[in-house]
Amino acid sequence: MFDRFDSSGIGPVLTELRRAALDEDTGASLEPSMAALLRSGCLTEIDPVALTKTLVAVAEVNLPAARLAEGHVNALQLFAIHGAMQDDAMSLLGVWGADAADPVALRDDTLTGGKRYASGLGIVTHAIVTVPWEDTSRLAVLDVTDTARHAPETWRMSGMRATRSGDIDLTGMRPDWLGGPGDYYREPYFVGGVWRISALQLGGTLGLLGEARDWLAARGRLEADAQVARLGPLIGRSLAAFGLVERAAEVATGPAGRSDPDRAVMLSAQARLLTETLALDTVAAVEQSIGMAHFEDAATTGRVARDLATYCRQAARDAFEQRAGRIALSRPGPLSELWHG
Protein backbone atom coordinates (compact mmCIF):
# COMPACT_ATOMS: atom_id res chain seq x y z
CA MET A 1 0.00 0.00 0.00
CA PHE A 2 2.89 2.34 0.73
CA ASP A 3 5.43 1.15 -1.86
CA ARG A 4 6.37 4.72 -2.75
CA PHE A 5 8.07 5.04 0.64
CA ASP A 6 10.04 1.79 0.53
CA SER A 7 13.32 3.53 -0.29
CA SER A 8 13.15 5.53 2.93
CA GLY A 9 12.07 2.60 5.08
CA ILE A 10 8.85 4.28 6.16
CA GLY A 11 6.47 2.12 4.12
CA PRO A 12 6.12 -0.65 6.75
CA VAL A 13 5.84 2.02 9.46
CA LEU A 14 2.88 3.63 7.72
CA THR A 15 1.20 0.24 7.51
CA GLU A 16 1.77 -0.22 11.25
CA LEU A 17 0.46 3.27 11.99
CA ARG A 18 -2.72 2.59 10.06
CA ARG A 19 -3.19 -0.65 11.96
CA ALA A 20 -2.66 1.23 15.24
CA ALA A 21 -5.32 3.77 14.24
CA LEU A 22 -7.82 0.98 13.67
CA ASP A 23 -6.98 -0.42 17.13
CA GLU A 24 -7.57 2.88 18.89
CA ASP A 25 -10.74 1.72 20.66
CA THR A 26 -8.82 -1.12 22.34
CA GLY A 27 -6.72 1.41 24.23
CA ALA A 28 -3.52 0.22 22.60
CA SER A 29 -0.59 2.61 23.04
CA LEU A 30 1.02 4.44 20.15
CA GLU A 31 4.41 3.85 21.73
CA PRO A 32 5.47 0.88 19.54
CA SER A 33 4.41 2.69 16.38
CA MET A 34 6.20 5.88 17.38
CA ALA A 35 9.35 3.91 18.19
CA ALA A 36 9.25 2.40 14.70
CA LEU A 37 8.73 5.84 13.19
CA LEU A 38 11.79 7.16 15.03
CA ARG A 39 13.89 4.20 13.91
CA SER A 40 12.98 4.91 10.28
CA GLY A 41 14.86 8.21 10.53
CA CYS A 42 12.27 10.03 8.44
CA LEU A 43 11.61 12.64 11.15
CA THR A 44 15.20 13.84 10.98
CA GLU A 45 14.89 14.62 7.26
CA ILE A 46 16.37 18.06 6.60
CA ASP A 47 14.84 18.59 3.15
CA PRO A 48 11.63 20.55 3.83
CA VAL A 49 9.69 19.09 0.91
CA ALA A 50 10.58 15.53 1.92
CA LEU A 51 9.68 16.26 5.54
CA THR A 52 6.36 17.79 4.47
CA LYS A 53 5.53 14.67 2.46
CA THR A 54 6.37 12.50 5.46
CA LEU A 55 4.17 14.49 7.86
CA VAL A 56 1.29 14.45 5.37
CA ALA A 57 1.69 10.70 4.84
CA VAL A 58 1.75 9.93 8.57
CA ALA A 59 -1.29 12.16 9.20
CA GLU A 60 -3.12 10.49 6.32
CA VAL A 61 -3.02 7.12 8.09
CA ASN A 62 -2.93 8.17 11.76
CA LEU A 63 -3.47 11.81 12.75
CA PRO A 64 -2.82 11.27 16.50
CA ALA A 65 0.56 9.70 15.69
CA ALA A 66 1.29 12.60 13.34
CA ARG A 67 0.56 15.02 16.19
CA LEU A 68 3.29 13.36 18.25
CA ALA A 69 5.61 13.30 15.25
CA GLU A 70 5.08 17.03 14.65
CA GLY A 71 5.95 17.80 18.26
CA HIS A 72 9.15 15.79 17.89
CA VAL A 73 10.10 17.62 14.69
CA ASN A 74 9.38 20.96 16.37
CA ALA A 75 11.61 20.03 19.30
CA LEU A 76 14.43 18.91 17.01
CA GLN A 77 14.29 22.26 15.24
CA LEU A 78 14.46 24.16 18.54
CA PHE A 79 17.48 22.10 19.61
CA ALA A 80 19.17 22.81 16.27
CA ILE A 81 18.45 26.55 16.42
CA HIS A 82 19.95 26.87 19.88
CA GLY A 83 22.90 24.58 19.29
CA ALA A 84 21.85 21.90 21.75
CA MET A 85 22.31 18.18 21.29
CA GLN A 86 19.70 15.50 21.79
CA ASP A 87 21.13 12.75 23.99
CA ASP A 88 19.08 9.82 22.68
CA ALA A 89 18.05 9.73 19.03
CA MET A 90 15.41 7.12 19.87
CA SER A 91 13.63 9.30 22.44
CA LEU A 92 10.37 10.95 21.47
CA LEU A 93 10.37 14.69 22.19
CA GLY A 94 7.54 17.17 22.66
CA VAL A 95 6.88 20.90 22.91
CA TRP A 96 4.24 21.89 25.46
CA GLY A 97 3.11 25.49 25.72
CA ALA A 98 -0.43 25.66 27.13
CA ASP A 99 -0.56 26.39 30.85
CA ALA A 100 -2.81 24.43 33.19
CA ALA A 101 -5.20 26.04 35.67
CA ASP A 102 -2.16 26.56 37.91
CA PRO A 103 0.23 28.24 35.42
CA VAL A 104 3.91 27.42 35.30
CA ALA A 105 6.14 29.79 37.25
CA LEU A 106 9.79 29.85 38.31
CA ARG A 107 10.54 30.15 42.03
CA ASP A 108 13.99 29.73 43.53
CA ASP A 109 15.31 27.86 40.47
CA THR A 110 12.46 25.34 40.50
CA LEU A 111 9.14 25.26 38.70
CA THR A 112 5.63 25.37 40.06
CA GLY A 113 2.37 24.73 38.23
CA GLY A 114 1.83 22.67 35.14
CA LYS A 115 0.87 22.37 31.50
CA ARG A 116 -2.35 21.19 29.85
CA TYR A 117 -3.00 19.63 26.45
CA ALA A 118 0.41 17.96 26.79
CA SER A 119 0.44 15.29 24.08
CA GLY A 120 2.27 12.02 24.46
CA LEU A 121 2.10 11.49 28.23
CA GLY A 122 4.00 8.29 28.94
CA ILE A 123 5.44 8.25 25.40
CA VAL A 124 7.35 11.54 25.22
CA THR A 125 10.53 11.28 27.29
CA HIS A 126 11.68 14.92 27.22
CA ALA A 127 9.59 18.00 26.61
CA ILE A 128 10.46 21.60 25.85
CA VAL A 129 8.11 23.82 27.86
CA THR A 130 7.57 27.56 28.03
CA VAL A 131 8.34 29.28 31.34
CA PRO A 132 7.43 32.93 32.07
CA TRP A 133 10.50 35.16 32.27
CA GLU A 134 10.06 38.86 33.04
CA ASP A 135 7.96 40.24 30.14
CA THR A 136 8.47 37.20 27.89
CA SER A 137 9.28 33.51 28.38
CA ARG A 138 12.13 31.01 28.19
CA LEU A 139 12.31 27.44 27.05
CA ALA A 140 13.13 24.69 29.50
CA VAL A 141 13.97 21.06 28.74
CA LEU A 142 12.50 18.58 31.22
CA ASP A 143 12.52 14.84 31.72
CA VAL A 144 8.79 14.06 31.74
CA THR A 145 8.84 10.30 32.25
CA ASP A 146 7.50 10.39 35.83
CA THR A 147 3.97 9.02 35.37
CA ALA A 148 2.96 10.23 38.83
CA ARG A 149 2.93 13.74 37.35
CA HIS A 150 0.64 12.78 34.46
CA ALA A 151 -3.12 13.32 34.36
CA PRO A 152 -4.36 11.97 31.00
CA GLU A 153 -7.87 11.74 32.42
CA THR A 154 -8.17 15.52 32.02
CA TRP A 155 -8.34 15.10 28.22
CA ARG A 156 -12.11 15.02 27.71
CA MET A 157 -12.17 15.85 24.01
CA SER A 158 -14.13 13.76 21.53
CA GLY A 159 -11.12 13.44 19.21
CA MET A 160 -7.35 12.87 19.27
CA ARG A 161 -7.73 10.50 22.21
CA ALA A 162 -4.90 8.24 21.07
CA THR A 163 -2.39 11.08 21.59
CA ARG A 164 -2.63 10.40 25.32
CA SER A 165 -2.86 14.11 26.07
CA GLY A 166 -3.67 15.77 29.38
CA ASP A 167 -2.21 17.75 32.24
CA ILE A 168 1.24 17.40 33.74
CA ASP A 169 2.43 18.77 37.08
CA LEU A 170 5.90 20.33 36.87
CA THR A 171 6.13 21.48 40.48
CA GLY A 172 9.57 20.97 41.99
CA MET A 173 11.36 20.31 38.69
CA ARG A 174 14.59 22.13 37.87
CA PRO A 175 14.77 23.42 34.30
CA ASP A 176 17.61 22.99 31.84
CA TRP A 177 17.40 26.17 29.80
CA LEU A 178 17.34 26.17 26.02
CA GLY A 179 18.18 29.50 24.41
CA GLY A 180 17.53 32.87 26.02
CA PRO A 181 14.51 34.96 26.99
CA GLY A 182 12.14 35.51 24.08
CA ASP A 183 13.98 33.15 21.72
CA TYR A 184 10.94 30.89 21.35
CA TYR A 185 9.07 33.64 19.51
CA ARG A 186 11.87 34.37 17.04
CA GLU A 187 10.77 34.24 13.42
CA PRO A 188 10.68 32.52 11.05
CA TYR A 189 10.53 29.64 13.51
CA PHE A 190 7.45 30.46 15.62
CA VAL A 191 4.44 31.39 13.48
CA GLY A 192 6.66 30.57 10.52
CA GLY A 193 6.68 26.99 11.77
CA VAL A 194 2.93 26.38 11.54
CA TRP A 195 3.46 24.86 8.09
CA ARG A 196 3.87 21.64 10.09
CA ILE A 197 0.32 22.00 11.41
CA SER A 198 -0.84 22.63 7.84
CA ALA A 199 0.83 19.41 6.74
CA LEU A 200 -1.05 17.46 9.41
CA GLN A 201 -4.37 19.10 8.60
CA LEU A 202 -3.83 18.29 4.94
CA GLY A 203 -2.86 14.70 5.68
CA GLY A 204 -5.89 14.25 7.91
CA THR A 205 -8.11 15.64 5.17
CA LEU A 206 -6.69 13.24 2.59
CA GLY A 207 -7.07 10.38 5.06
CA LEU A 208 -10.74 11.20 5.64
CA LEU A 209 -11.42 11.48 1.91
CA GLY A 210 -9.72 8.12 1.36
CA GLU A 211 -11.77 6.44 4.07
CA ALA A 212 -14.98 7.91 2.63
CA ARG A 213 -14.02 6.74 -0.86
CA ASP A 214 -13.39 3.20 0.36
CA TRP A 215 -16.66 3.08 2.34
CA LEU A 216 -18.73 4.32 -0.59
CA ALA A 217 -16.97 2.06 -3.11
CA ALA A 218 -17.59 -1.02 -0.97
CA ARG A 219 -21.32 -0.28 -1.11
CA GLY A 220 -21.50 0.60 -4.78
CA ARG A 221 -22.27 4.26 -4.08
CA LEU A 222 -19.10 5.93 -5.29
CA GLU A 223 -20.21 6.38 -8.90
CA ALA A 224 -23.25 8.47 -7.99
CA ASP A 225 -23.07 11.92 -9.55
CA ALA A 226 -23.80 13.56 -6.21
CA GLN A 227 -20.85 11.83 -4.54
CA VAL A 228 -18.45 12.75 -7.32
CA ALA A 229 -19.65 16.35 -7.26
CA ARG A 230 -19.35 16.55 -3.49
CA LEU A 231 -15.99 14.88 -2.92
CA GLY A 232 -14.10 15.37 -6.19
CA PRO A 233 -13.47 19.11 -5.78
CA LEU A 234 -12.12 18.52 -2.28
CA ILE A 235 -9.42 16.28 -3.73
CA GLY A 236 -8.49 19.02 -6.19
CA ARG A 237 -8.32 21.59 -3.41
CA SER A 238 -6.17 19.23 -1.35
CA LEU A 239 -3.67 18.76 -4.15
CA ALA A 240 -3.49 22.53 -4.63
CA ALA A 241 -2.96 23.04 -0.90
CA PHE A 242 -0.06 20.59 -1.00
CA GLY A 243 1.91 23.09 -3.07
CA LEU A 244 1.38 25.94 -0.63
CA VAL A 245 2.35 23.81 2.38
CA GLU A 246 5.54 22.67 0.67
CA ARG A 247 6.39 26.24 -0.36
CA ALA A 248 5.78 27.52 3.16
CA ALA A 249 8.09 24.82 4.53
CA GLU A 250 10.82 25.65 2.02
CA VAL A 251 10.75 29.35 2.86
CA ALA A 252 10.44 29.00 6.63
CA THR A 253 13.31 26.55 6.98
CA GLY A 254 15.68 28.07 4.43
CA PRO A 255 17.70 31.23 3.84
CA ALA A 256 14.69 33.00 2.31
CA GLY A 257 12.89 32.81 5.65
CA ARG A 258 15.85 34.09 7.61
CA SER A 259 16.26 37.06 5.27
CA ASP A 260 12.53 37.81 5.06
CA PRO A 261 10.78 36.44 8.18
CA ASP A 262 7.53 38.25 7.44
CA ARG A 263 7.13 36.38 4.16
CA ALA A 264 7.73 33.08 5.93
CA VAL A 265 5.13 33.97 8.56
CA MET A 266 2.61 34.97 5.89
CA LEU A 267 3.06 31.79 3.83
CA SER A 268 2.87 29.46 6.83
CA ALA A 269 -0.14 31.23 8.32
CA GLN A 270 -1.94 31.25 4.98
CA ALA A 271 -1.21 27.55 4.56
CA ARG A 272 -2.61 26.79 8.01
CA LEU A 273 -5.76 28.81 7.34
CA LEU A 274 -6.25 27.17 3.96
CA THR A 275 -5.87 23.60 5.19
CA GLU A 276 -8.09 24.25 8.21
CA THR A 277 -10.94 25.50 6.02
CA LEU A 278 -10.41 22.60 3.63
CA ALA A 279 -10.44 20.08 6.47
CA LEU A 280 -13.67 21.37 8.00
CA ASP A 281 -15.34 21.49 4.58
CA THR A 282 -14.30 17.87 4.10
CA VAL A 283 -15.73 16.82 7.47
CA ALA A 284 -19.09 18.34 6.50
CA ALA A 285 -19.02 16.78 3.03
CA VAL A 286 -18.22 13.29 4.33
CA GLU A 287 -21.06 13.52 6.84
CA GLN A 288 -23.41 14.25 3.94
CA SER A 289 -21.94 11.53 1.72
CA ILE A 290 -22.11 8.69 4.22
CA GLY A 291 -25.09 9.75 6.31
CA MET A 292 -26.13 8.21 9.61
CA ALA A 293 -23.59 5.38 9.40
CA HIS A 294 -20.82 7.97 9.76
CA PHE A 295 -21.92 8.55 13.35
CA GLU A 296 -21.80 4.93 14.51
CA ASP A 297 -19.30 4.34 17.30
CA ALA A 298 -17.24 1.95 15.18
CA ALA A 299 -17.29 4.06 11.98
CA THR A 300 -13.76 4.71 10.73
CA THR A 301 -14.82 7.89 8.96
CA GLY A 302 -16.39 9.12 12.17
CA ARG A 303 -13.21 8.54 14.16
CA VAL A 304 -11.02 10.25 11.57
CA ALA A 305 -13.44 13.18 11.32
CA ARG A 306 -13.49 13.63 15.11
CA ASP A 307 -9.70 13.62 15.24
CA LEU A 308 -9.45 16.07 12.34
CA ALA A 309 -12.07 18.49 13.66
CA THR A 310 -10.44 18.49 17.10
CA TYR A 311 -6.96 19.05 15.69
CA CYS A 312 -8.15 21.89 13.48
CA ARG A 313 -9.17 23.92 16.51
CA GLN A 314 -5.69 25.35 16.95
CA ALA A 315 -5.34 28.57 18.91
CA ALA A 316 -5.38 32.12 17.54
CA ARG A 317 -6.95 31.51 14.13
CA ASP A 318 -8.28 35.07 13.92
CA ALA A 319 -4.90 36.53 14.88
CA PHE A 320 -3.18 34.45 12.22
CA GLU A 321 -5.69 35.58 9.61
CA GLN A 322 -5.14 39.24 10.47
CA ARG A 323 -1.36 38.96 10.56
CA ALA A 324 -1.09 37.02 7.33
CA GLY A 325 -3.44 39.37 5.54
CA ARG A 326 -1.72 42.51 6.71
CA ILE A 327 1.71 41.24 5.68
CA ALA A 328 0.47 40.23 2.24
CA LEU A 329 -1.42 43.45 1.60
CA SER A 330 1.25 45.80 2.91
CA ARG A 331 3.96 44.67 0.49
CA PRO A 332 4.34 46.66 -2.74
CA GLY A 333 5.02 45.12 -6.12
CA PRO A 334 3.56 42.10 -7.89
CA LEU A 335 1.70 39.75 -5.55
CA SER A 336 3.34 36.82 -7.34
CA GLU A 337 6.53 37.75 -5.51
CA LEU A 338 4.90 36.53 -2.30
CA TRP A 339 5.40 33.05 -3.76
CA HIS A 340 8.64 33.47 -5.65
CA GLY A 341 10.37 35.95 -3.39
Side-chain angles (χ1 to χ4, degrees):
M1 183 176 183
F2 301 108
D3 291 344
R4 67 194 186 280
F5 285 101
D6 280 354
S7 61
S8 66
I10 193 180
V13 180
L14 293 175
T15 300
E16 169 58 27
L17 286 170
R18 177 171 172 76
R19 186 180 302 114
L22 296 174
D23 291 342
E24 178 183 322
D25 290 338
T26 68
S29 173
L30 279 175
E31 188 170 7
S33 298
M34 296 309 299
L37 189 58
L38 290 176
R39 286 195 300 271
S40 76
C42 64
L43 298 183
T44 59
E45 174 62 63
I46 60 174
D47 177 70
V49 172
L51 183 55
T52 299
K53 290 177 180 177
T54 293
L55 291 175
V56 171
V58 173
E60 191 171 2
V61 297
N62 192 321
L63 186 56
R67 166 67 189 95
L68 301 185
E70 186 275 328
H72 182 79
V73 170
N74 189 7
L76 289 179
Q77 182 183 55
L78 289 170
F79 278 120
I81 291 169
H82 301 297
M85 295 294 293
Q86 182 192 355
D87 292 335
D88 182 359
M90 291 298 103
S91 294
L92 186 67
L93 309 174
V95 181
W96 298 339
D99 279 316
D102 181 15
V104 170
L106 180 67
R107 297 176 185 170
D108 299 326
D109 297 326
T110 61
L111 301 178
T112 63
K115 295 291 181 181
R116 64 174 177 169
Y117 306 154
S119 294
L121 295 175
I123 306 174
V124 167
T125 61
H126 291 80
I128 300 173
V129 304
T130 51
V131 179
W133 188 278
E134 297 177 352
D135 60 346
T136 183
S137 67
R138 290 191 71 175
L139 295 175
V141 182
L142 303 172
D143 182 322
V144 292
T145 55
D146 182 0
T147 58
R149 296 179 176 274
H150 302 171
E153 67 277 5
T154 60
W155 184 258
R156 302 186 182 95
M157 309 299 176
S158 62
M160 300 297 281
R161 293 178 178 175
T163 58
R164 192 168 174 80
S165 299
D167 288 14
I168 181 169
D169 182 11
L170 305 180
T171 301
M173 300 188 74
R174 290 184 175 273
D176 289 326
W177 299 113
L178 181 65
D183 279 354
Y184 181 50
Y185 305 107
R186 187 196 310 170
E187 300 293 0
Y189 309 111
F190 184 56
V191 175
V194 300
W195 63 268
R196 297 186 304 271
I197 294 173
S198 306
L200 267 59
Q201 290 176 163
L202 176 57
T205 297
L206 291 169
L208 180 56
L209 285 168
E211 293 293 349
R213 173 203 60 199
D214 293 347
W215 192 93
L216 292 167
R219 290 156 182 81
R221 292 170 50 186
L222 189 59
E223 295 301 319
D225 290 346
Q227 302 291 12
V228 174
R230 186 180 293 119
L231 301 180
L234 293 168
I235 296 175
R237 289 169 60 188
S238 297
L239 297 177
F242 221 128
L244 178 56
V245 177
E246 289 182 345
R247 188 61 173 151
E250 286 179 312
V251 172
T253 60
R258 291 189 293 273
S259 63
D260 190 353
D262 278 351
R263 177 168 167 252
V265 166
M266 184 277 301
L267 285 171
S268 284
Q270 293 283 17
R272 201 204 98 174
L273 294 166
L274 178 67
T275 55
E276 178 184 317
T277 300
L278 172 60
L280 296 178
D281 286 351
T282 300
V283 169
V286 170
E287 289 177 358
Q288 293 174 334
S289 290
I290 293 181
M292 190 66 73
H294 174 77
F295 297 95
E296 294 177 358
D297 288 342
T300 299
T301 57
R303 171 183 53 76
V304 176
R306 287 192 299 273
D307 286 345
L308 184 57
T310 300
Y311 185 72
C312 279
R313 295 312 182 189
Q314 299 284 334
R317 186 190 195 281
D318 292 343
F320 277 10
E321 190 168 51
Q322 289 293 312
R323 186 171 179 184
R326 292 184 189 282
I327 291 172
L329 293 170
S330 66
R331 296 167 76 99
L335 290 175
S336 59
E337 291 182 356
L338 294 172
W339 183 275
H340 296 293

